[in-house]
Amino acid sequence: MSSRETHVVEMGDILANEADLLGMIKEYLKFGEFDDTVHQFEKECKDKGKLIPKSRGNRLRDSKTLIIQKDLLSSFDDGDFKVFFELWEEYIPAEVRDSDPQTQKLEFYLHIHFTIFPLKIHLGGPTDRDGRITHFKQYLETRGATLSQTTEFLPYYALPFVPSPAVHPSFRDLFQDTWVPEVRRKLEAFLSATLKVTNAPRLLISMLLQLQLAEAERRASYYMRRFGKMQADHHRLIDVTAELVDSLEDTVRGKMVSPEYLQSVCLRLFSNHLRQSSVQSVDFTRPGTASSMLRASTAPLRPQEVPLLPSLDYDKLKRDLLGGSDRLKALLLQALRWRLTRSLHGEQRDTVLQAYISNDLLDLHSAQQVGSDSQPRGSCKIVRQYMARLINALASLSEGRAYLSQVPSVLLVLLESLKTEEKDSLSRENVLGALQKLSLRRSQQSAMIGAGLIGWLVEELQDSDCLSDYTLEYAVALLMNLCLRTRGKRECARNAKSILKVLTDLLGHENQQIRPYVNGALYSILAVPAVREEAREMSMEEILGCYSREENPELNRQIEFIIKQLNSGEVPEEGRESDNEEEEEDDDDEDMMETDLDKEEVLLPQPRELSGETLLTTNYLGIMTNLATRSKKKSSAPPGVHEPLQRPVTPSSHRNALAM
């Protein structure tokens, strides 16, 4: 090919690439609804003789998405679990599979479907059925283990061990004609929402892919360095192993191994894990020393180099939270909460929280605070709900509670919302959750007691059967936290009969999660002589005795402590507990994100609408708004499980302490 022909080909490639670029620019402008700019752009391209091709990138992506959906549904219908889960793991995003509770539940039912598939159609030999059961067992021991404490799924953990599940009472529903169509309907709805056809412009997708590529290259470089270190350790281990084999052979022939030789071998083994001076100071001649250090050296390390999330433009965010449309406000509040709840525990989450606080995300220190009528609280129902969700998430972290406690009006707004929101609404659930977590701080406890919250809680708990599990658990835990204070006990003494009746009724409630908080509240208020006298008049000891016969030694022991408190004659010293927050330290070092923070999302993005992290990084990208994280206070030891609770807790932290 001549040089002239080569030049013509290169020019043709450049013109084709330029045309694609012009098409991508026009596509992005249309996506952003820059209609006047699009018109002017097309006019100038036409005047300059530039050709803008018609976009077909979206159509290609959409057709591929539809093919993937069809393949997943076909393999579901055919019972082909190998093909299905290969496609599932390849095309369903890992963050959705790992963090979304509804997706995890659907995945569990999909595994059940493929496990019992041969039994429903009466096909497949023993080998096929055994393979499916083995696959289901592996799932239960790995990804499925997260649902092992859920009542809904607990019976299915016995499914692999039941020889004839079709006739077993626990699994009869799985073989009803309606079960498979219902699972398929849920799968189809999930795939339509997750693998939905996209109208995102190619220019935006290219930018996001470039960011992902840079992150992938950084991680690849990090793992290459780790691989090089592991390879060097592997070679060193082989050399030492060969020497030890030689030493064993010498020992068989009667030649002893000297302590100096053992010291030199251990020095080589631990050269990368300990300083040389530290290794030389260890007495490896003592039996078990070297083997213990070897086992300790293989203990899993904490993950390193967790990437930080991009910085945001908080000034623009706050302007839109204040003056944007109700839908934009709700989407932003949802995205900001997800950034906090879905970030990795540790430096990544701490950095997100510190950025929110240092940039005063809720504008607590401005003239227009979260409690003003112009803020989302006074907006539509969904905005109020998503503001309550965000505040509840912030209150789940110690630094977040400190931030919310800086301005007294925040607590006043929450208390007002608690009494005005609908009784069974998610807004009120999240407001109650936030208040319960704020009650770990003494200043907030005092304000709640002064606002008459104890009386409101007692009145609400009189009809406990009408409350959701979340509302009931957090209401009782909040009541207990307030009863631990001297002012709270005095408040209870004013209406001792009513509160004692509510608490004793709650002892028999079917929700056993509330028992530790009921016991803690009873133990606390029975320290007041007037309350003890009222309890004796209503035969409290006999009532408690009825519940101590249950098969629960931990709770029985707590009942014994309560009865001992009831029969004591101690008179509490006045002023034993100071209500001056400046004189006593807050017992507030708990950081615990419960899964309920992201439950029942009612706000779903519309076609071409950005949401979540994509919304934040596309429209609100900032520069250096992330700050270094602060050091955490060391958590104090949890109370013994045999004693009633005697310090403020949250339900999530109490469950975690019991599990530990």
Side-chain angles (χ1 to χ4, degrees), residues 208-237:
L208 295 176
L209 289 175
Q210 188 176 12
L211 293 174
Q212 292 175 8
L213 178 61
E215 174 63 18
E217 290 176 344
R218 187 193 68 79
R219 294 181 68 85
S221 175
Y222 165 69
Y223 286 119
M224 284 298 295
R225 293 196 302 271
R226 286 193 62 186
F227 173 73
K229 181 180 180 300
M230 290 174 63
Q231 194 174 41
D233 288 344
H234 176 66
H235 292 160
R236 184 183 302 107
L237 187 60

Side-chain angles (χ1 to χ4, degrees), residues 620-638:
Y620 299 92
L621 209 57
I623 301 175
M624 297 298 290
T625 54
N626 289 340
L627 300 178
T629 59
R630 301 177 187 175
S631 59
K632 294 283 184 181
K633 292 189 295 182
K634 184 177 179 181
S635 297
S636 52

